[in-house]
Amino acid sequence: MTAANVNDGKRLDQVLQAIVIKRKCPPLRRNKHLCADAGYRSAENLRIIDEHGYIAHVVDRKREADAKRRHPNRKARRWVVEVAHSWFTNEGHDRNQLAPMAIAAREAMGKAKLQAVADRGYYSGTQIKDCDDAGIAPMLPKPATSNAKAEGRFGKADFIYIARDDEYRCPAGQRAIYRFTREENGLQIRRYWSSACPQCPIKKQCTPSDYRRISRWEHEPVLDAAQRRLDMHPNAMTVRRRTVEHVFGTFKHWMGSTHFLMRTLPNVGTEMSLHVIAYNLKRLIGILGIARTIKAMRLLGA
């Protein structure tokens, strides 16, 4: 996501690098088609598109209008965003929604596997574990809940877990060994610390307490795997924002300042579903045209 006064072409290379679709390496791979508007119509942008193995289709509005007059049934090709599933809740946060939404979206799309990309508001260890159990690979950043980094001290990421020994190596090179397990909020949490903490020369950079205690959830490897997926695609959150956030902006524009007209959760949920259906139909008609949309709906028995 960039400021409104930044030309789209400035971020083209980053966007193409962030596309999380595995493709064969040259010369085995076949070129894919990339449709873009006139904002990307420069020699440099066309070179970047070609280097990434895409065939560019960059047409300005005048040529697009001329082509539409000559071929009225043809529609401009664009990236298509479809809302596969929607829900409405009166919870004040999204932390309990990752697995239900991902599972429902997978069923709606008829997919066996799914990679779910979400923002940090959806981060929950139990939800990520539920996704993993359902065969869904979640990818989302972990929110910073500790003030250690802000106060100039080492964060948990500075402590390296050694799975073979079930120990942590601290920034001072000491080992924080396993001490005990206890239940916290229904989760089994393992606790680690080193006996060398009181004599540590860099203790002030680590903790104001006598010992730096490290907590580890019993299913922490699942969270580590989600973080590795995000590390492999550092621009995934940028792609997520520019792909889906405009959809919600469209909804807010349609609904106006009062947003929902109905009251009570079931009625508001129905109103939201109608907005989603209208959005998907409008996008479908914009891509296929009215005649082809009606034909496709008839073929599907709608």
Side-chain angles (χ1 to χ4, degrees):
M1 181 175 292
T2 60
N5 61 347
V6 176
N7 187 279
D8 294 339
K10 299 292 185 180
R11 298 291 184 264
L12 178 60
D13 188 54
Q14 296 177 16
V15 172
L16 296 182
Q17 289 179 13
I19 294 178
V20 289
I21 300 176
K22 294 183 178 179
R23 304 182 61 208
K24 295 180 180 179
C25 296
L28 298 178
R29 77 181 186 191
R30 299 173 61 184
N31 284 347
K32 301 294 184 179
H33 297 268
L34 179 67
C35 302
D37 58 34
Y40 298 90
R41 194 184 177 188
S42 69
E44 177 63 16
N45 287 335
L46 295 176
R47 181 189 64 79
I48 292 173
I49 294 173
D50 182 69
E51 286 182 352
H52 282 274
Y54 291 94
I55 298 175
H57 298 273
V58 183
V59 183
D60 59 33
R61 290 185 180 274
K62 182 178 183 305
R63 292 177 58 188
E64 197 171 280
D66 292 341
K68 187 175 181 179
R69 283 193 293 270
R70 292 194 302 268
H71 306 285
N73 293 327
R74 289 186 184 178
K75 298 295 179 181
R77 292 180 289 182
R78 292 286 189 273
W79 290 106
V80 182
V81 177
E82 175 188 357
V83 182
H85 178 73
S86 67
W87 92 111
F88 196 86
T89 177
N90 56 5
E91 283 189 279
H93 57 78
D94 298 324
R95 290 190 296 275
N96 296 326
Q97 306 303 327
L98 178 62
M101 285 300 299
I103 294 172
R106 183 183 63 181
E107 293 176 355
M109 293 186 291
K111 300 291 185 179
K113 295 183 179 181
L114 183 72
Q115 186 175 75
V117 183
D119 60 42
R120 68 181 71 249
Y122 287 84
Y123 196 95
S124 165
T126 54
Q127 291 291 306
I128 295 174
K129 178 66 166 58
D130 290 344
C131 285
D132 185 73
D133 292 341
I136 297 173
M139 185 190 307
L140 68 169
K142 183 177 181 179
T145 57
S146 172
N147 290 328
K149 282 289 187 182
E151 296 174 357
R153 300 195 305 270
F154 297 121
K156 185 179 178 180
D158 297 313
F159 293 78
I160 309 302
Y161 181 68
I162 303 173
R164 181 185 67 251
D165 302 325
D166 190 23
E167 296 176 350
Y168 278 89
R169 186 177 69 247
C170 76
Q174 299 292 334
R175 293 293 187 98
I177 64 175
Y178 168 73
R179 301 292 180 168
F180 62 86
T181 299
R182 72 177 183 183
E183 183 175 326
E184 298 179 10
N185 299 321
L187 307 179
Q188 295 298 315
I189 305 297
R190 300 168 63 85
R191 302 299 293 271
Y192 301 77
W193 68 81
S194 171
S195 299
C197 284
Q199 296 80 32
C200 181
I202 58 174
K203 181 174 176 294
K204 290 184 178 180
Q205 297 176 250
C206 190
T207 178
S209 304
D210 293 335
Y211 296 90
R212 174 62 183 262
R213 291 174 171 85
I214 306 168
S215 300
R216 183 177 178 84
W217 185 35
E218 61 177 337
H219 298 300
E220 195 87 8
V222 176
L223 308 184
D224 294 338
Q227 184 61 48
R228 285 195 297 271
R229 282 191 292 270
L230 184 61
D231 292 341
M232 292 174 62
H233 305 289
N235 292 325
M237 292 302 103
T238 301
V239 175
R240 185 206 67 81
R241 286 193 297 270
R242 64 172 45 135
T243 302
V244 303
E245 290 297 342
H246 74 89
V247 177
F248 299 105
T250 300
F251 287 152
K252 290 181 179 180
H253 176 71
W254 286 355
M255 298 163 76
S257 60
T258 57
H259 297 318
F260 294 102
L261 302 178
M262 303 298 293
R263 295 295 181 267
T264 76
L265 190 61
N267 294 338
V268 172
T270 301
E271 185 180 354
M272 184 66 205
S273 296
L274 291 174
H275 279 291
V276 170
I277 292 172
Y279 177 87
N280 286 338
L281 282 175
K282 189 173 181 179
R283 293 293 296 132
L284 185 62
I285 293 172
I287 298 299
L288 298 180
I290 296 177
R292 293 174 65 189
T293 298
I294 294 175
K295 181 179 179 180
M297 294 175 68
R298 286 174 176 170
L299 290 175
L300 292 175

